[in-house]
């Protein structure tokens, strides 16, 4: 019974913020890309290591859940590059949206100027 009590106490120890090295090691162990480990760390560092309004209890479990969501997102969007990184912006855009996002500042200004003069959006 002594071992059970020690095990129970270790489960309820005070949360200690993990180092980036600990996060990276766990990320490698579970197959989470390094850029996602950094996103995980930044996200939880910015909100005080909280899950909703509650203090985090187990960062390894939280990272495992993060990986599950990354994998589900990648499957849903079929949207990973050869390096395993999620490429979200351009792949979700239609051709017209992509063209708009690639316009130069001069082209954008000319369109804005034409709109201001004519009161309508020019069609190209």
């Amino acid at each position: 019974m002594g071992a059970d009590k020690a095990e129970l106490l270790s489960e309820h120890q005070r949360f200690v913020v993990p180092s980036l090295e600990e996060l990276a090691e766990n990320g490698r162990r579970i197959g989470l890309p390094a850029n996602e480990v950094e996103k995980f760390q930044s996200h939880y560092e910015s909100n005080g290591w909280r899950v909703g309004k509650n203090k985090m209890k187990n960062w390894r479990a939280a990272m495992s859940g993060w990986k599950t969501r990354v994998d589900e997102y990648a499957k849903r969007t079929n949207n990973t590059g050869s390096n395993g990184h999620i490429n979200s912006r351009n792949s979700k855009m239609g051709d017209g949206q992509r063209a708009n996002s690639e316009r130069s500042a001069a082209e954008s200004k000319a369109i804005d100027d034409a709109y201001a003069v004519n009161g309508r959006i020019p069609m190209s």
Side-chain angles (χ1 to χ4, degrees):
M1 183 151 172
D4 292 337
K5 186 175 182 182
E7 188 176 312
L8 185 62
L9 288 175
S10 68
E11 287 179 20
H12 295 288
Q13 287 179 347
R14 187 177 189 113
F15 178 77
V16 177
V17 174
S19 68
L20 188 54
E21 292 78 27
E22 289 174 306
L23 292 169
E25 180 182 326
N26 193 62
R28 281 189 299 276
R29 186 181 63 75
I30 65 174
L32 186 64
N35 70 318
E36 289 296 330
V37 170
E38 290 176 16
K39 289 178 188 179
F40 176 87
Q41 191 268 343
S42 294
H43 172 77
Y44 284 108
E45 190 69 30
S46 71
N47 74 9
W49 292 90
R50 293 185 171 273
V51 180
K53 293 183 179 183
N54 302 312
K55 292 179 181 178
M56 183 176 289
K57 294 177 183 174
N58 185 335
W59 64 265
R60 286 179 181 88
M63 183 178 275
S64 180
W66 186 282
K67 180 182 185 317
T68 299
R69 286 184 294 281
V70 166
D71 291 347
E72 287 173 356
Y73 178 80
K75 274 187 207 174
R76 215 173 38 248
T77 61
N78 194 16
N79 198 14
T80 55
S82 59
N83 58 4
H85 296 191
I86 295 173
N87 305 314
S88 58
R89 182 172 160 71
N90 282 337
S91 62
K92 288 183 179 178
M93 292 181 179
D95 291 336
Q97 289 173 309
R98 192 172 299 109
N100 288 342
S101 74
E102 295 168 357
R103 280 196 181 109
S104 70
E107 289 173 314
S108 294
K109 183 172 179 357
I111 290 170
D112 290 344
D113 291 345
Y115 179 74
V117 171
N118 299 332
R120 63 181 183 81
I121 297 175
M123 304 305 270
S124 45

